[in-house]
Every structure is written in C-alpha cells, then in structure tokens.
Amino acid sequence: MSQPILKAVVEDKEKFSSLGRIKKMLKGQGTFDGEENAVLYQNYKEKALDIDSDEESEPQEQKLDDKVVFHYKPLRSTWSQLSVVKKNGLSEAISQEERKRQEAIFEVISSEHSYLLSLEILIRMFKNSRELSLTMTKTESHHLFSNITDVYEASKKFFEELEARHQNNIFIEDISDIVARHAGSTFDPYVKYCTNEVYQQRTLQRLLATNPAFKEVLSRIESHEECRNLPMISFLILPMQRVTRLPLLMDTICQKTPKDSAKYENCKQALKEVSKLVRLCNEGARKMERTEMMYTINSQLEFKIKPFPLVSSSRWLVKRGELTAYVEDTGLFSKRTSKQQVYFFLFNDVLIITKKKSEESYNVTEYSLREQLLVLPCDGEEPGPGSSPGRSAPGMLHSGRSAASHLFRLLLLSNHAGDRVEMLLGADTQSDRARWITALGQDSDGQHTDRTTLAQVETIRTYTAKQADELSLQVADVVLVYQKVNDGWYEGERLRDGQRGWFPSECAKEITCRATLDKNMERMGRLLGLETNV
C-alpha cells in the first residue's frame, strides 16, 4: 500500500478530482436514484450481521450473483463499487481497514434505503388500500398498522440526513452523530409501534381465521408484483427487525474504527443510544404483552381456596402448561398410584396450580410463592446441588412409567395453607420436562456461567416464540447455548440483547470457527457491557 495515511478526496487534488467536482457530479442525483427493482429489506442481508464479513466486496458480490434466486435482487452496490469511487480510484488510496470502515458506514445508508422502500410498499399497498380497509373496522386497521406512517417519516428523515452526508463527500468521515441524534429523539415512534405488536399479531391472526373477505383481498395484494409475493406480516415486523439490527451495524463500524481515535468514542456513544432504543422497544412490547396476558389469565381462574391477588404490574407469566401428577392413594389393605392432570401457571414470583375445566376456565387448587419451590430429582437421575427431598415418594416410581412420562419432583416448602407438599410430575416430552425444571428451578447458575465456554449457534430460519419461555429469532441471530435436549430443543441467550429462552435446534447451525466464537463474545461485550474474558 503506497499511501498508508488516510486521506479524503479533497486532500489529494493531483490524483483525485476535487470535492467540488464530485459534488457537481452528484448534484441532483441521489446515491440510489435510477435503481430499478431495488432489493426490499426482507431480502436484504446486512454483512454486518456476519461477524466474518471481512472479504473483499467485489468478489463476494460476484459469488452472490451466481446463486441468486430469481425473485431476489442483489444489492446494487457496495461503497467500493460506487461508480464515483471507482472512477476516482478512492478505494485504492486508503488502507484496507479504512475501506472496510467505509463499507460498514455505507451499509447503514444502503440498508436504510432498502428498509424505507419496504415501508413505503407497506403503507401504499396495504395500509392505504381502500379495498382492504373495507373488510375490517377502523379499530382493527389501527391495531394492524398502528403508527407506521410516523415510523416511515422517522426513517425518511434519518435516511435523507445520511444520504446528504454521503453526497457531501463520498469518503464519509463519520455518521455517529446522525445515528445518535435520531436514536435519541426522531425514533420515538418505534417504541410505540413495537409496544403495540401484541395487538397487531392478535388482530392479524383473528382476521385471517374469521374474515374471508379480508383474507381474499390480502392474498390478492400480496401477489401483486410490487409486493414481490411477500406476505404482509413480513412488512409489518420490519420496524422491530430494523431497530434490532442497528446496534449490530453500529458495532461493526466500531470494530473497524481505530480505538485511539475520537471517531471511536463517537461511535461507542451512537451504539449506546441505539442499544437504549432497542431496550425501550423490547420492554414496551414485553410490558404490553405481559399486562394483556395477566388480565386474561386472571379472568379465567376460579379459586376453590383462599383467593390470591394475581394482577400486578411487577408480575408476568414465565411458563404455563399441563402436567401429569402421580398421587398415592392409601386404601385399607393396599396402596395404589393414580394419575391426575394438573395445569400450571408459573409467574416470576408465584406458582398457581389448577385443574383445567376448559380452554378458558381453570379451578385453582394450590399456589405457592416461587421462593418456596424446590425441584427434586427422581430416582436414577443425578441430583442437583442441595436438592435432597424432605420425604421420598415410595410406590410412585415404576420403571416403565418413568421412561414414558419424563418424571420430576416438585417440593412446595409452604403452600397457600402453609403446608409442605411434594408432587411427582410427568411431562409429555424430554424437552418439556427440561423446560419445566429450568423454569421452576430459577436457574441461578446461569447468571454465573462463563459465556466463553458455551456453544454458539447462528439462526438459519426465523422462529417466532409460541410460549412464554421461548425465544424469537431472526435469521443471522447468534445464540449462546446453555442446554441441549435430545428431542431437538435448545435453551439459549440471544447475543444482541441478552434475552434467554428455548428454540428448536433445526432453526440454527453451530458455529465452530474459534476466531468467530471469540469475535462474537467481543461483540456481545460491546453490545451489553459484559465482562467476557476474551
């Protein structure tokens, strides 16, 4: 490299055209103007999501073009492939690391452009469709689309300012100030949109299931060429997807920025602002969903014992589901074990044990504070630390039933009446048993686990959580794996935000490259402020 010192276009007038000439060349023409069939955000994969994306841009783009599916359009260009960069030889005039930094900065701009295109289609083709609006009420329409127009306007302002910075100088010194400012104020509509996600999902499911007219019109719109045969739900979830990817994009710029420079500190501040925004969005969505769930469950419970005041702003559902309880009946001359179905509602601070009457009605038979619960091993299984039972359950264990029923024991040190109760419980599957033991046992050991020793997987297929203890995943999410169950379920922690839960192993592939594993831990440390020992 003959020119190791970084110089902007304007600083080398002999080799490059002047900044004024570049501005004139670009005047009246945006970076993405004239781009036909631009890639929509659903089909856009940011290289920043791949921790190993250090390869040269042009060869990689060529490889991708060869494998592209007909309805997927390749990204028009990277920073190095911009005609003005090529024409002026700018890519060769800077160091390889700085070129990677320019690519990372440009990716924020190009991905925002792609995202903006998808939002525009959502509003024009779906939200503003008179035909679709006639098939539902105004309330349903509001629940579906919420404040998406405000989200679009926020994205538009953000993109216009980013592109203006790029138009001012093809070599971009920094965008951290723009990102930090918008994340701190302009992006407020994202929090409201993500908070309303629970209404959106529920409304869409109900309309599809009960409203044939809505379903028919929606299907017709989705098949329109402008929608690229993508379902409306893929457009509706974009704001949450975009906001969760911004920290990863900014982290990549941090990665490529010299740590002893002022730019690095600015980038870290921008990363802090977008991470804060993501937390607000996640918390808003969780709080609304938890509150809704709490009121719904409370209305379905009928207390046959002393009532428990369930609704609380600090309480949320951790896991729910049906289990088999094995009860020992003592007769005059013999003992026998009978089975009863019980339905558990486990909250963060209390366990409610019920008998299910119907899908929307449960009789409460027991409850105990979470701190009074102890999960115990069954015979033939390795006991956990300090988990010896108060009394055994003779006659309850039979080898055939143990193998079939995936048994575990639960001790209520003090139930609603202050009594000590021990239960032998059976789950339908091995993973269900593991999930109940994890949930009931309040896995405190996980807080002290050395994350660098955990396996890592990358999500290869989107997964939407169906139960409270599950983890929703986007393609390219990296997850640290705490538990693997033989019947195909993993328990893991999402790298980008530290959320923990269960997901099907088929949605992910294991990461084996040591360098990638270390880079992922470093990234997690930057995103979450963790001590990673890497």
Side-chain angles (χ1 to χ4, degrees):
M1 186 72 66
S2 60
Q3 195 172 2
I5 300 173
L6 182 63
K7 290 187 178 182
V9 178
V10 70
E11 295 181 74
D12 195 336
K13 294 183 181 178
E14 292 183 7
K15 187 168 184 177
F16 306 115
S17 58
S18 68
L19 176 61
R21 182 183 165 191
I22 289 177
K23 284 182 179 178
K24 185 176 180 181
M25 187 187 306
L26 293 169
K27 189 175 181 182
Q29 179 186 333
T31 309
F32 304 95
D33 287 356
E35 194 174 341
E36 293 184 8
N37 295 321
V39 65
L40 295 184
Y41 197 60
Q42 291 94 321
N43 297 331
Y44 187 115
K45 183 181 177 183
E46 292 98 332
K47 288 185 181 180
L49 302 182
D50 179 5
I51 201 74
D52 281 335
S53 62
D54 282 347
E55 68 277 353
E56 293 298 316
S57 299
E58 289 200 44
Q60 177 66 15
E61 288 299 316
Q62 187 62 44
K63 288 177 190 173
L64 284 174
D65 286 350
D66 294 338
K67 296 179 181 180
V68 132
V69 182
F70 76 96
H71 60 273
Y72 279 67
K73 300 294 181 181
L75 179 62
R76 172 183 165 275
S77 62
T78 60
W79 181 80
S80 299
Q81 291 174 318
L82 290 172
S83 58
V84 68
V85 172
K86 283 183 173 181
K87 185 173 183 179
N88 292 283
L90 182 56
S91 185
E92 289 73 36
I94 57 180
S95 70
Q96 185 178 7
E97 278 305 305
E98 180 56 35
R99 184 161 66 250
K100 290 176 183 177
R101 180 174 169 273
Q102 289 297 310
E103 295 290 5
I105 290 173
F106 184 71
E107 185 164 54
V108 175
I109 304 172
S110 62
S111 60
E112 191 69 23
H113 174 257
S114 176
Y115 167 64
L116 199 56
L117 287 176
S118 288
L119 288 189
E120 191 272 331
I121 290 173
L122 170 60
I123 292 170
R124 178 167 51 84
M125 297 297 293
F126 295 98
K127 182 182 183 297
N128 292 348
S129 166
R130 175 168 172 75
E131 193 179 8
L132 190 64
S133 68
L134 290 174
T135 66
M136 55 181 160
T137 66
K138 287 184 178 180
T139 300
E140 288 170 333
S141 179
H142 177 68
H143 284 170
L144 268 189
F145 300 109
S146 188
N147 63 327
I148 190 63
T149 304
D150 295 336
V151 172
Y152 172 81
E153 290 301 326
S155 173
K156 188 178 179 183
K157 288 177 186 175
F158 181 50
F159 172 71
E160 286 174 348
E161 201 166 332
L162 288 171
E163 191 181 32
R165 178 73 55 91
H166 191 235
Q167 294 292 302
N168 187 50
N169 193 341
I170 289 301
F171 177 86
I172 310 168
E173 289 289 346
D174 199 10
I175 60 169
S176 298
D177 57 322
I178 299 174
V179 174
R181 184 168 60 256
H182 284 271
S185 57
T186 315
F187 286 166
D188 286 348
Y190 278 87
V191 179
K192 181 178 179 181
Y193 187 89
C194 294
T195 298
N196 290 331
E197 190 178 41
V198 63
Y199 293 116
Q200 182 185 79
Q201 304 292 333
R202 188 181 302 152
T203 301
L204 180 58
Q205 288 172 5
R206 188 178 67 251
L207 286 169
L208 288 172
T210 65
N211 189 330
F214 172 86
K215 188 175 181 179
E216 193 273 328
V217 173
L218 181 63
S219 179
R220 197 159 59 243
I221 296 173
E222 289 172 343
S223 64
H224 194 282
E225 62 179 359
E226 285 198 63
C227 300
R228 322 268 174 98
N229 283 313
L230 292 166
M232 183 174 71
I233 185 62
S234 75
F235 290 91
L236 291 173
I237 63 176
L238 289 179
M240 180 62 99
Q241 285 185 346
R242 179 58 178 170
V243 83
T244 55
R245 288 178 185 176
L246 278 175
L248 299 175
L249 291 166
M250 290 310 300
D251 179 68
T252 301
I253 298 175
C254 273
Q255 236 182 331
K256 314 296 183 190
T257 303
K259 290 183 171 56
D260 57 354
S261 67
K263 291 174 189 172
Y264 182 74
E265 293 305 314
N266 293 339
C267 192
K268 279 210 307 184
Q269 183 57 37
L271 175 58
K272 185 178 177 181
E273 289 294 331
V274 293
S275 296
K276 180 182 175 182
L277 174 67
V278 172
R279 281 196 299 275
L280 289 173
C281 289
N282 282 333
E283 286 167 9
R286 270 198 304 271
K287 186 176 181 181
M288 185 65 74
E289 186 174 13
R290 287 170 173 177
T291 302
E292 282 283 300
M293 182 66 71
M294 188 64 63
Y295 278 104
T296 300
I297 293 173
N298 188 60
S299 68
Q300 295 173 348
L301 299 183
E302 185 177 336
F303 284 82
K304 298 298 184 182
I305 54 177
K306 179 183 175 183
F308 181 86
L310 189 63
V311 176
S312 167
S313 60
S314 60
R315 182 172 295 123
W316 64 86
L317 183 70
V318 174
K319 185 169 177 59
R320 62 183 289 176
E322 199 162 42
L323 291 162
T324 302
Y326 294 92
V327 182
E328 190 176 85
D329 298 323
T330 304
L332 190 58
F333 301 107
S334 64
K335 292 180 180 179
R336 65 186 184 88
T337 302
S338 63
K339 294 192 295 184
Q340 296 178 3
Q341 294 305 112
V342 291
Y343 198 97
F344 278 19
F345 291 93
L346 179 65
F347 298 91
N348 59 309
D349 61 347
V350 66
L351 170 65
I352 308 289
I353 301 175
T354 74
K355 289 188 177 178
K356 185 177 181 180
K357 292 166 59 181
S358 69
E359 290 299 325
E360 297 182 353
S361 182
Y362 304 84
N363 286 333
V364 178
T365 58
E366 291 265 19
Y367 57 80
S368 176
L369 294 178
R370 187 93 176 267
E371 62 192 25
Q372 297 295 321
L373 302 180
L374 189 61
V375 180
L376 307 169
C378 283
D379 293 359
E381 294 178 349
E382 288 296 318
S387 58
S388 58
R391 59 179 178 83
S392 63
M396 289 189 179
L397 290 173
H398 302 287
S399 58
R401 184 164 60 219
S402 180
S405 302
H406 308 287
L407 302 177
F408 66 97
R409 283 183 285 168
L410 178 66
L411 180 63
L412 280 57
L413 297 173
S414 177
N415 71 353
H416 66 282
D419 297 330
R420 181 185 176 96
V421 177
E422 186 172 342
M423 304 180 73
L424 179 64
L425 300 164
D428 288 340
T429 64
Q430 189 179 4
S431 56
D432 202 28
R433 175 184 179 276
R435 287 164 67 165
W436 274 113
I437 289 175
T438 300
L440 290 162
Q442 303 182 83
D443 180 23
S444 58
D445 292 340
Q447 304 297 323
H448 309 293
T449 301
D450 180 0
R451 288 178 171 87
T452 61
T453 65
L454 298 174
Q456 297 179 16
V457 296
E458 180 183 358
T459 306
I460 56 176
R461 189 163 68 247
T462 298
Y463 180 72
T464 302
K466 296 173 180 64
Q467 296 184 38
D469 65 336
E470 293 180 5
L471 193 64
S472 290
L473 296 172
Q474 299 175 15
V475 172
D477 266 339
V478 173
V479 187
L480 311 186
V481 180
Y482 283 83
Q483 288 189 67
K484 296 181 179 180
V485 185
N486 291 336
D487 62 359
W489 283 83
Y490 289 173
E491 186 207 9
E493 181 180 20
R494 220 163 37 202
L495 182 145
R496 59 179 160 87
D497 60 5
Q499 288 297 306
R500 195 162 160 178
W502 293 83
F503 60 96
S505 58
E506 63 187 21
C507 293
K509 65 176 181 179
E510 187 153 358
I511 299 170
T512 56
C513 172
R514 184 71 253 172
T516 302
L517 295 170
D518 290 343
K519 284 181 182 179
N520 283 339
M521 291 313 303
E522 290 171 2
R523 167 171 277 183
M524 191 173 193
R526 288 189 297 269
L527 292 173
L528 304 180
L530 300 172
E531 292 296 328
T532 59
N533 302 320
V534 175

